[in-house]
Amino acid sequence: MQGKGDFTVKDLYEKMGVRPQVYDFGKKIEQGLEERFKKLDETAEYNQLKVLSAMQKNRVDEACFYPSTGYGYNDQGRDVLEQVYADTFHTEAALVRPQIACGTHALAVALFGNLRPGDELLSPVGKPYDTLEEVIGIRPQKGSLAEYGITYRQVDLREDGTFDYPAIEQALTPKTRLVTIQRSKGYQTRPSFSVAQIGELIAFIKKRKPDVICMVDNCYGEFVDVIEPSDAGADLLVGSLIKNPGGGLAPIGGYVAGKKELVEQAAYRMTSPGLGKEVGASLGVKQAFYQGFFLAPMVVKGALKGAIFAAGVYEALGFPVLPDSKEPRQDIIQSITLGSPEKIVAFCQGIQAAAPVDSYVSPEPWDMPGYDSPVIMAAGAFVSGSSIELSADGPIRPPYAVYFQGGLTWEHAKFGILMSLEKLAQAGLVKL
Ligand SMILES: *Cc1c(COP(=O)(O)O)cnc(C)c1O
């Protein structure tokens, strides 16, 4: 494409550090992905209309954006936003708050709100996300569910990544009150689950124990499909606003959506028994929450294109990628097994060099608290720690896999991936 003064986009890439041979390599991969990208456009179009229709139905107007302070009584814009989430996810109610600090907090609020001493929590999909281990008490921690006398049972996935139905059936006891199902693999090596698979699992469980609460950790999954786990029988849906549904604009927050009574219980835990959803000032974040949710289907589409492009580029170079560039996607995370510490570092330095913020810094591996090996992280985000923005991280240990996710626009994700390839090529770690 011709640009101003006879400069092409390829020239501009070169000026910004991506050499023509790297650009051409990417171009070839991109051309092979046209059909896939078209499907993503269709999903995004559907989800865009879904969100828009929920906003129109709830008569969102300028007054919804006015900040509230103090107790936040009668914050109508906050209540309308929660109904917009509920209508989009087809649930009875939702809690969408800046007081929810992150995804882990949202999950903790849903769990503590709905479990009582003597109850048992079941994960039929293996080990949950790292941070939940301390919430549950798998790793002992002050204030965990275990300290409150709530027990935990886990059924691991079978070797091929499928559900172990006979073991799940056995693990359902009269004490089982809540079943937690994590949709995304997070940073594990198991597959992520489709909404249809989750629906099957929930149906199996409900058939045997109709009164059990089925909660889905929906982190990284929102808007990847045209349906959500709440469309497949989940009673509770939980996620983070600095991932998919915040659309890159929400500066903080989390959500819990689902059956009215269960969301209410979560709200009593989030604020206080008796106060629940009635308090909690929204300060000045509501416009960002609304606008981010409005943009989220498009942002998720860009992130998915980036993930698929990364898979395409690196599988063409012979690296194991998960998922591969052809498989259906259930979340926005891409893992690439690079096979050596140097390659992880070069990859992450490329992602960092492509960022709109902090592009001049160079990430290095460091001993992060809570990890048993050094970790390198690349992120140059507008919202600190946001992983819907282009980011990558890799623990420096075999098999030396890097996890890549996000990108507020496809164009930026593409640039980041080409920049990572450039760094690897420059260091002589890959041959194009
Ligand atoms: C990110 C994530 C969480 C926790 O979210 P934080 O915002 O990091 O606390 C929980 N579960 C899954 C699957 C996630 O991806």
Side-chain angles (χ1 to χ4, degrees):
M1 191 180 50
Q2 290 299 114
K4 255 204 163 90
D6 268 359
F7 269 101
T8 61
V9 69
K10 192 168 164 180
D11 294 329
L12 195 47
Y13 268 102
E14 187 168 14
K15 221 172 114 201
M16 292 175 72
V18 175
R19 288 171 301 167
Q21 59 267 44
V22 172
Y23 177 83
D24 289 339
F25 187 85
K27 189 87 208 160
K28 247 191 355 236
I29 301 294
E30 187 183 346
Q31 279 161 351
L33 296 171
E34 255 172 43
E35 278 307 303
R36 277 221 82 176
F37 281 13
K38 215 185 280 166
K39 291 223 174 66
L40 295 178
D41 291 337
E42 288 166 14
T43 302
E45 184 177 5
Y46 186 91
N47 285 330
Q48 181 69 85
L49 293 182
K50 192 157 74 161
V51 173
L52 180 61
S53 132
M55 289 189 170
Q56 293 183 346
K57 178 183 164 214
N58 288 287
R59 303 173 70 95
V60 173
D61 60 15
E62 198 185 346
C64 289
F65 310 147
Y66 297 159
S68 67
T69 57
Y71 293 104
Y73 290 133
N74 305 315
D75 184 333
Q76 222 208 316
R78 177 194 66 201
D79 301 343
V80 169
L81 176 68
E82 292 181 335
Q83 200 50 51
V84 168
Y85 263 68
D87 286 339
T88 302
F89 294 149
H90 306 126
T91 60
E92 290 172 9
L95 191 62
V96 184
R97 302 289 172 119
Q99 282 80 18
I100 299 179
C102 60
T104 306
H105 186 202
L107 288 158
V109 153
L111 290 170
F112 276 96
N114 286 286
L115 287 162
R116 296 291 179 270
D119 287 346
E120 188 156 272
L121 168 67
L122 170 67
S123 171
V125 296
K127 190 181 89 66
Y129 199 73
D130 264 20
T131 54
L132 279 189
E133 291 188 17
E134 283 165 283
V135 172
I136 296 168
I138 302 171
R139 273 185 286 148
Q141 185 52 267
K142 292 190 186 78
S144 68
L145 289 168
E147 278 204 348
Y148 286 86
I150 294 152
T151 54
Y152 171 70
R153 205 182 274 246
Q154 175 177 315
V155 175
D156 288 333
L157 295 170
R158 289 198 301 219
E159 208 128 289
D160 61 355
T162 57
F163 306 129
D164 189 346
Y165 281 116
I168 293 169
E169 179 151 34
Q170 276 204 332
L172 286 167
T173 73
K175 282 177 67 180
T176 314
R177 175 81 186 119
L178 197 150
V179 172
T180 180
I181 301 165
Q182 185 180 310
R183 177 175 176 183
S184 165
K185 66 179 176 297
Y187 303 112
Q188 290 173 261
T189 46
R190 68 154 166 93
S192 296
F193 306 125
S194 68
V195 173
Q197 283 172 304
I198 290 172
E200 228 175 72
L201 176 59
I202 292 174
F204 178 89
I205 289 165
K206 292 260 177 186
K207 196 166 164 204
R208 279 145 191 93
K209 198 161 165 43
D211 61 338
V212 80
I213 301 164
C214 289
M215 179 183 96
V216 174
D217 174 352
N218 206 26
C219 281
Y220 286 132
E222 297 90 352
F223 301 126
V224 169
D225 202 341
V226 293
I227 48 170
E228 299 291 339
S230 42
D231 295 308
D235 302 303
L236 274 175
L237 203 58
V238 184
S240 161
L241 265 53
I242 63 169
K243 292 179 180 171
N244 304 13
L249 293 185
I252 190 172
Y255 77 89
V256 177
K259 295 236 168 78
K260 187 163 181 285
E261 191 194 322
L262 307 178
V263 171
E264 221 160 66
Q265 299 264 41
Y268 285 144
R269 175 71 193 198
M270 179 193 69
T271 61
S272 149
L275 301 181
K277 296 177 84 175
E278 303 302 316
V279 298
S282 55
L283 307 173
V285 303
K286 279 186 297 180
Q287 192 199 333
F289 277 21
Y290 276 104
Q291 201 173 347
F293 196 56
F294 177 72
L295 291 176
M298 295 298 137
V299 171
V300 169
K301 173 178 79 170
L304 284 169
K305 286 185 178 177
I308 291 166
F309 180 64
V313 163
Y314 283 95
E315 77 192 0
L317 291 166
F319 295 101
V321 296
L322 189 76
D324 69 32
S325 70
K326 307 227 159 42
E327 285 174 81
R329 297 263 153 177
Q330 320 301 345
D331 60 30
I332 63 168
I333 300 177
Q334 179 63 46
S335 89
I336 305 162
T337 302
L338 292 168
S340 81
E342 298 75 34
K343 289 188 185 119
I344 291 195
V345 171
F347 182 98
C348 288
Q349 289 180 342
I351 297 296
Q352 188 74 40
V357 181
D358 293 334
S359 63
Y360 56 88
V361 304
S362 185
E364 298 286 346
W366 62 297
D367 287 304
M368 250 177 80
Y371 289 81
D372 50 11
S373 56
V375 180
I376 183 166
M377 295 191 163
F382 295 101
V383 171
S384 178
S386 165
S387 47
I388 186 62
E389 298 188 51
L390 190 66
S391 47
D393 43 67
I396 307 293
R397 62 162 183 246
Y400 302 104
V402 75
Y403 295 88
F404 163 92
Q405 69 268 309
L408 294 183
T409 68
W410 147 237
E411 289 74 8
H412 178 229
K414 175 180 167 182
F415 180 65
I417 293 150
L418 291 178
M419 205 62 184
S420 73
L421 184 57
E422 176 66 48
K423 295 281 181 194
L424 282 157
Q426 271 175 25
L429 296 167
V430 295
K431 256 186 110 63
L432 300 181

